[in-house]
Amino acid sequence: MTFRSLVLVHGSGSGPWVFDGWQDSFPELTVTAVDLQAGLDVAHATLRDYAVAIVRAVVAADRPVAVCAWSLGGLAAMLGAHEARPDAMILLEPSPPLEVQGLRDVVPRPGTFDPLAAGAPFPAGMAARPESSLAMGERERGVSMPSLPPGTRTLVVAGDAYRDERGPRFAERYGGVFLDAGTAEHWDLVRDPAIRARIAAWLDGL
């Protein structure tokens, strides 16, 4: 399969800028980075709202199209997968659905929070912005995602720190292939060109 498009999806408290440099790693593809918060009242944004933004970008892309989604964006991309029907999905340490993490006693509430004030480990110089407390509450409680669309080629990438909930067990649950990122940290998955090269090689092999 020769891919024509790559849709990138950021995680919580961040934005499309986390994918700076990705176009250079995929020169033959049209690369689009989705802004999950664009046009939304962030205090009332849900994971479903984020999924709608991803579906919109995938539907507009030339096919075959791959979606590469990181962290919270991975869960949102999964929620939109049955509607968007991407040809491939790359999930970078995705937030786990209910089927992986279980149901937690959390009540999602509207509002926003500052990820830096909350202690999120953003790299020096990396811009952050307020995130939806409602969407994060939904994620913490557990969002059901029984399956991905049949035939979706799926790559799950995780390093040592997130291996248990976001690694091989996750890949097996959703019929994907696991790519071991070793000692790479969460932010390395979007910043390290070596990780991008391994993703590109996987896509080339489909």
Side-chain angles (χ1 to χ4, degrees):
M1 185 183 304
T2 301
F3 285 87
R4 299 181 65 188
S5 305
L6 178 63
V7 174
L8 304 173
V9 185
H10 63 83
S12 66
S14 62
W17 54 85
V18 304
F19 293 108
D20 287 352
W22 276 64
Q23 179 67 77
D24 295 338
S25 296
F26 299 90
E28 297 181 359
L29 302 183
T30 300
V31 177
T32 302
V34 178
D35 186 345
L36 296 180
Q37 296 187 8
L40 296 178
D41 173 2
V42 177
H44 292 87
T46 65
L47 282 172
R48 177 59 191 164
D49 291 328
Y50 291 168
V52 167
I54 298 165
V55 171
R56 190 181 304 122
V58 175
V59 169
D62 291 333
R63 291 182 178 267
V65 55
V67 172
C68 182
W70 176 57
S71 200
L72 183 71
L75 180 56
M78 292 177 73
L79 291 176
H82 283 275
E83 185 175 354
R85 296 279 175 165
D87 299 285
M89 294 188 71
I90 302 105
L91 301 172
L92 308 176
E93 292 185 341
S95 294
L98 182 152
E99 286 78 10
V100 175
Q101 74 167 25
L103 183 65
R104 297 172 179 168
D105 187 16
V106 174
V107 179
R109 301 184 188 282
T112 63
F113 68 93
D114 179 345
L116 296 180
F122 275 59
M126 180 63 68
R129 61 179 172 179
E131 180 56 76
S132 167
S133 299
L134 182 58
M136 286 299 292
E138 291 175 330
R139 175 260 179 270
E140 290 299 323
R141 180 183 60 190
V143 177
S144 181
M145 185 64 205
S147 65
L148 291 173
T152 304
R153 313 286 185 87
T154 305
L155 180 70
V156 177
V157 184
D160 294 342
Y162 287 91
R163 186 177 305 277
D164 288 346
E165 277 198 340
R166 309 188 190 197
R169 181 162 63 96
F170 190 109
E172 182 179 4
R173 175 65 180 76
Y174 291 99
V177 174
F178 174 60
L179 190 157
D180 189 347
T183 59
E185 298 183 357
H186 196 51
W187 278 95
D188 293 334
L189 301 190
V190 291
R191 303 183 78 199
D192 186 350
I195 299 290
R196 302 200 289 267
R198 295 177 70 185
I199 292 169
W202 179 76
L203 285 174
D204 287 343
L206 294 181

